[in-house]
Amino acid sequence: MKIGIPKEVYPGEQRVAATPDTAKRLQKLGFDVLVETNAGCGANFNDDAYTAAQCQIVPDAATLWTEADIVLKVRPPQLHPDACKHEVDLLHQGSRLISFIWPAQNGDLLQKLGSRQATVLAMDAIPRISRAQKLDALSSMANLAGYRAVIEAANHFGRFFNGQITAAGKVPPAKVMIIGVGVAGLAAIGTAKGLGAIVRAFDTRLVVKEQVESLGAEFLELNFAEDGSGEGGYAKVMSDEFIKAEMALFAEQAKEVDIIITTALIPGKKAPVLITQEMVESMKEGSVIVDLAAEQGGNCACTHPGEVYRYKGVTIVGLTDLPSRMAQQASQLYGTNLYHLLEDMGGAKNFQVNLEDEVVRGALVVHSGEITYPPPKVEKKVEVAATKSSKSEDKVKEPIPVLATAPVSPVPSTAKGGSNVIWLLLVGVALVGIGISAPPEFLSHFIVFVLACFIGWQVIWNVKPALHTPLMSVTNAISGIIILGGMLQISGTSNLSTTILGAIAILVGTINISGGFLVTQRMLKMFQR
């Protein structure tokens, strides 16, 4: 089978549906890859790179669309300026197309694709389930958009993001508010915190509070019992009372923060207006608003989609091509998403549109000319006690019976408890023996040793695993003190038992220090490329 990678004709679009790297991976699935000339130039992939990856360069779009069995695109099909035809008309009868389609907004496009008897999968309709995370192109692009939004804000902001104390004076850190904590919002939070800003975030879904706080940001919360979690992880439309309180919060924050980044979108609906004109006018001179929902109308009332301009001292960034401004990285991520989809669909040898596959069925918007959007809702089946039934595809497996030969009496708990008592008695006898035979100086040191072991065990046991690595740095310092104490005990006494304990302390402390450094080094290597 042949896969076609056309050059995107949407104005300003720099992404491409396959990079030389992902093209090689597609070839391993058995596909022949055809690439239109200069298709990857906007993402810094020239024709020579595709030729080196064993791809066939096709001189024009008409030839590529005609020869390809599967066409991979980024933007939905539209009028081709060079061919003077709609890209759907270039698609041969019965062919397949995988691209962003936005079926809820492009009903006419679905009708046009259906007239070509095409089979179309929309990458924006991939279900938000765990198994489909590797195919989730929306998350891939949103991640880039959130990162780029902070970079654009920093470019238009006239100050440092992080606070500094210099010889010329103190510079306060920038205050950033992020509205909407989806993939884009989380990426923006991480980037802004990495640059040293004070970050606040708001979302109607209370489940994201821990994620926000784990990134070091402050979660702005309303005293409402209402939760905004909708289907597929998206937010839902809130009540009028909640929206009123929400807008009051934004109005208060707008007067204080320096940068606002909005990411709020509801699938199939116009972007809600969250930052009013009055809020913009209340912001400080030099503030910045980056509206990631600009393509759907914008979350800010003053946003001009596709433009960057100043409104009464506030720079409003309404760019709609943020992922395209990182075309090389975006193309690599999107191409990988497409590769995983084609791999799950069987590759070239076993390629099929499996309607029983929840992921494929969710993304399928046109099948052999028939419009299949929206997909049917998947009803969750509740399994009850298994019973024997006729052989069918939905048959519930019977539980495996447990064969009991004879009643087994439970093992009395005193067995384990008895062994513990024995150990305690032995330890007690040993301590009494040491107390009778050892000198008073040894006893005072021994009591401190026992208490230190107990307290140390309690401290280490109650520390979260995530803090074990920094804890090793502290214990290394303590172990150094122990080693010095052991050396003093060895050199300053002739008592055999004290000398033995001092030597053990030196040995254990040395092991702890060397082990601490070794484990810390291995942990740090995990974060190196």
Side-chain angles (χ1 to χ4, degrees):
M1 296 182 71
K2 294 181 180 180
I3 285 180
I5 311 296
K7 179 178 175 62
E8 297 296 324
V9 296
Y10 186 87
E13 182 57 70
Q14 304 296 321
R15 291 172 292 178
V16 63
T19 67
D21 177 65
T22 60
K24 290 180 182 178
R25 300 174 72 178
L26 290 173
Q27 289 166 3
K28 290 181 180 179
L29 295 179
F31 294 104
D32 295 327
V33 181
L34 312 180
V35 181
E36 185 181 351
T37 184
N38 296 326
C41 286
N44 297 319
F45 301 116
N46 56 33
D47 290 347
D48 293 337
Y50 286 104
T51 302
Q54 307 300 318
C55 298
Q56 179 184 342
I57 304 299
V58 179
D60 59 272
T63 304
L64 181 132
W65 283 79
T66 303
E67 293 185 3
D69 300 303
I70 304 174
V71 176
L72 304 183
K73 271 182 57 61
V74 179
R75 292 278 185 171
Q78 62 180 34
L79 181 66
H80 197 291
D82 296 331
C84 297
K85 286 185 177 181
H86 199 284
E87 287 180 310
V88 174
D89 296 328
L90 298 176
L91 191 68
H92 68 75
Q93 290 283 338
S95 187
R96 299 132 178 139
L97 172 67
I98 304 176
S99 174
F100 282 107
I101 299 295
W102 309 110
Q105 291 87 11
N106 293 321
D108 293 340
L109 177 61
L110 295 184
Q111 295 288 344
K112 198 172 184 66
L113 288 165
S115 66
R116 302 292 293 178
Q117 300 300 310
T119 295
V120 184
L121 285 91
M123 292 301 292
D124 50 277
I126 295 289
R128 291 292 183 91
I129 59 176
S130 298
R131 185 169 66 87
Q133 287 183 354
K134 61 183 179 180
L135 321 173
D136 193 352
L138 280 178
S139 294
S140 298
M141 298 302 104
N143 185 22
L144 288 168
Y147 172 85
R148 184 71 187 196
V150 177
I151 302 302
E152 292 290 338
N155 182 43
H156 295 284
F157 187 55
R159 295 199 341 246
F160 293 125
F161 260 52
N162 61 323
Q164 295 188 15
I165 299 177
T166 69
K170 183 180 179 181
V171 179
K175 296 179 180 179
V176 180
M177 180 174 69
I178 296 168
I179 301 176
V181 190
V183 176
L186 290 172
I189 292 171
T191 307
K193 283 297 296 182
L195 291 175
I198 297 174
V199 183
R200 303 163 184 174
F202 175 84
D203 199 290
T204 58
R205 298 162 295 181
L206 298 179
V207 293
V208 303
K209 179 180 179 179
E210 291 184 1
Q211 296 176 344
V212 170
E213 293 176 344
S214 68
L215 291 172
E218 176 190 356
F219 185 74
L220 302 174
E221 190 172 356
L222 297 175
N223 294 323
F224 262 80
E226 188 176 1
D227 184 25
S229 300
E231 294 184 2
Y234 293 100
K236 67 179 182 181
V237 178
M238 306 300 290
S239 65
D240 293 339
E241 292 79 8
F242 187 96
I243 293 174
K244 184 178 180 180
E246 177 186 67
M247 298 299 282
L249 173 66
F250 296 157
E252 178 184 352
Q253 291 293 322
K255 299 175 183 177
E256 185 178 350
V257 299
D258 303 299
I259 295 169
I260 297 177
I261 298 174
T262 64
T263 71
L265 280 172
I266 299 175
K269 298 181 180 292
K270 187 179 181 294
V273 176
L274 304 176
I275 305 298
T276 63
Q277 182 177 344
E278 291 76 14
M279 295 180 195
V280 177
E281 293 173 353
S282 70
M283 295 182 72
K284 292 177 287 187
E285 186 84 14
S287 299
V288 180
I289 296 175
V290 182
D291 194 342
L292 292 185
E295 194 165 6
Q296 301 299 324
N299 296 136
C300 177
C302 301
T303 296
H304 294 171
E307 296 183 18
V308 178
Y309 78 106
R310 287 179 67 85
Y311 177 80
K312 296 189 177 181
V314 178
T315 302
I316 301 177
V317 181
L319 298 174
T320 59
D321 61 345
L322 292 180
S324 182
R325 289 171 180 258
M326 302 178 65
Q328 188 172 30
Q329 184 68 76
S331 300
Q332 180 65 34
L333 293 177
Y334 182 61
T336 303
N337 294 141
L338 291 170
Y339 161 77
H340 286 305
L341 176 60
L342 291 170
E343 182 184 34
D344 286 357
M345 295 180 73
K349 294 182 180 179
N350 302 309
F351 182 85
Q352 64 170 336
V353 179
N354 184 9
L355 299 179
E356 301 299 322
D357 188 325
E358 182 182 358
V359 176
V360 174
R361 181 62 189 88
L364 189 67
V365 295
V366 181
H367 183 45
S368 298
E370 179 184 355
I371 297 176
T372 57
Y373 179 83
K377 291 186 178 181
V378 179
E379 296 182 0
K380 294 182 179 180
K381 297 180 180 179
V382 180
E383 294 186 2
V384 293
T387 55
K388 290 186 178 181
S389 61
S390 59
K391 294 182 179 180
S392 64
E393 293 181 356
D394 297 329
K395 180 178 178 181
V396 181
K397 295 182 179 180
E398 295 183 25
I400 301 174
V402 180
L403 302 178
T405 54
V408 181
S409 58
V411 179
S413 59
T414 54
K416 185 175 180 180
S419 62
N420 291 335
V421 171
I422 293 173
W423 276 108
L424 289 174
L425 289 175
L426 291 175
V427 171
V429 171
L431 291 176
V432 170
I434 293 174
I436 294 174
S437 60
E441 296 83 1
F442 174 79
L443 283 177
S444 62
H445 290 300
F446 186 73
I447 291 172
V448 172
F449 173 74
V450 172
L451 291 176
C453 289
F454 177 76
I455 294 172
W457 174 73
Q458 287 291 330
V459 170
I460 299 298
W461 185 261
N462 292 316
V463 168
K464 294 183 178 180
L467 299 178
H468 281 176
T469 300
L471 182 66
M472 288 176 187
S473 301
V474 180
T475 56
N476 283 348
I478 298 174
S479 298
I481 298 173
I482 293 173
I483 291 175
L484 290 175
M487 294 172 67
L488 290 174
Q489 291 297 326
I490 290 176
S491 61
T493 182
S494 59
N495 189 292
L496 180 61
S497 59
T498 304
T499 303
I500 293 174
L501 285 176
I504 293 174
I506 293 173
L507 176 62
V508 174
T510 303
I511 293 173
N512 193 33
I513 289 177
S514 58
F517 279 114
L518 180 62
V519 173
T520 302
Q521 184 184 26
R522 293 184 64 181
M523 291 288 291
L524 291 175
K525 284 183 177 180
M526 294 173 62
F527 297 94
Q528 295 177 355
R529 291 183 178 179

